[in-house]
Structures are given as C-alpha cells and as structure tokens.
Amino acid sequence: MHVLVLNGPNLNMLGIREPGKYGTISYNNLKDLINNHANEIGIEVTCKQSNSEGELIDIIQRAYFDKLDGIVFNPGGYTHTSVALLDALKSVMIPTVEVHITNIDEREEFRKFSYISLYAEKVIKGHGIAGYTEAMDYLKEKYDASPTANDEK
C-alpha cells in the first residue's frame, strides 16, 4: 500500500506560524512522524507540500498515474476556496481522508465550510498532528479489508 500525504499552503511553516493553534512541531518533524508511523504499520508513504494550488492539483493527478492507494490531505487555506482541488480529487477517485490540525468548526465562520469534504470519505479535525496518523490508520484498515488487497497478499 502506498499513501500520499499532501499538505497545502503554509503548512511548511508549522512550528513558526501561530504555535498556539498549530503547535511547535516543525514541518520536518511532522514528516518524520508520518514516515515513522508508515514504517510501523507497514505502508509506503510519500509526503508533499505546496503553497501553489496548481502544483497541488498536479500532485493529485500524478497520484492517479502512480497508482497510489490513498491520500491524506490537509489543504490548508484552500479547504474553503478551491473547487479545482475538489475536482482533481473527484477525477482521480483515490480514497481520501481530509485532515486539519485545528478544529475548523470552532474557528472563524469562513473556515467552517470545506470543499474537500464534499469528496473525502473521512474528515479528521482538531486532533493536532495525530490526525495524520489516524488518517493513515484508516486508509490502511480500509485497504486491508478490500478484496483487491487480499488478492495481492
């Protein structure tokens, strides 16, 4: 199983940007946590981050051609604005879990709506960085339960 962990704008600034909301762990530390957890649960993971909407779309489309099995996606500020990212996810049909470090339902009014949640089969919000490992666990369990995964074992 191969999962893409994709982060949108400003997530490269973890540990610097509003540490009271997002914590003090750096983006590099987050990647280490994700990679370590992937090793623990026996999956391959690719971590990507971009501040550019077009580049995020390109990464999602590449995931299709690379035949990835799942996407963990924290779209950052594009959560609330990007129909294009929603369309990219719908076009690739890869199981996706949307992750938010903070609980967007408890923040500013404009943050309460997510275009991405119109496609994502699960949304994890407000669990801090643990949301990433929860999302990976969910996708691994789903993959292991699928008939296709059992055929490949």
Side-chain angles (χ1 to χ4, degrees):
M1 171 176 209
H2 191 164
V3 171
L4 169 65
V5 177
L6 184 58
N7 283 289
N10 299 310
L11 285 148
N12 59 311
M13 299 300 285
L14 283 176
I16 300 166
R17 177 186 173 215
E18 299 180 86
K21 284 186 182 149
Y22 298 103
T24 56
I25 187 171
S26 71
Y27 180 67
N28 284 332
N29 292 141
L30 173 63
K31 289 192 302 186
D32 290 342
L33 173 97
I34 289 165
N35 285 311
N36 290 338
H37 189 69
N39 287 333
E40 287 172 16
I41 64 173
I43 67 171
E44 187 176 347
V45 68
T46 299
C47 294
K48 299 279 186 182
Q49 186 278 329
S50 178
N51 294 318
S52 167
E53 184 178 30
E55 186 174 352
L56 292 167
I57 291 167
D58 290 342
I59 293 167
I60 290 167
Q61 291 176 356
R62 247 188 327 272
Y64 174 82
F65 293 106
D66 291 344
K67 300 187 182 333
L68 299 192
D69 302 297
I71 299 174
V72 173
F73 189 19
N74 183 340
Y78 289 133
T79 301
H80 325 287
T81 64
S82 184
V83 173
L85 286 170
L86 168 63
D87 288 347
L89 290 168
K90 289 166 92 177
S91 72
V92 300
M93 300 176 294
I94 299 172
T96 300
V97 178
E98 179 181 357
V99 172
H100 297 283
I101 295 169
T102 65
N103 186 342
I104 59 174
D105 293 335
E106 296 175 354
R107 297 194 53 200
E108 302 93 336
E109 195 62 36
F110 70 89
R111 293 189 195 272
K112 294 180 182 179
F113 176 76
S114 165
Y115 282 99
I116 306 311
S117 69
L118 299 175
Y119 175 77
E121 58 187 64
K122 184 172 180 70
V123 179
I124 301 171
K125 46 193 165 187
H127 295 190
I129 59 167
Y132 289 90
T133 57
E134 291 173 37
M136 293 164 61
D137 290 342
Y138 171 84
L139 290 170
K140 171 83 161 91
E141 288 170 20
K142 177 184 172 80
Y143 181 82
D144 286 349
S146 73
T148 305
N150 291 326
D151 291 343
E152 294 173 4
K153 290 181 183 177

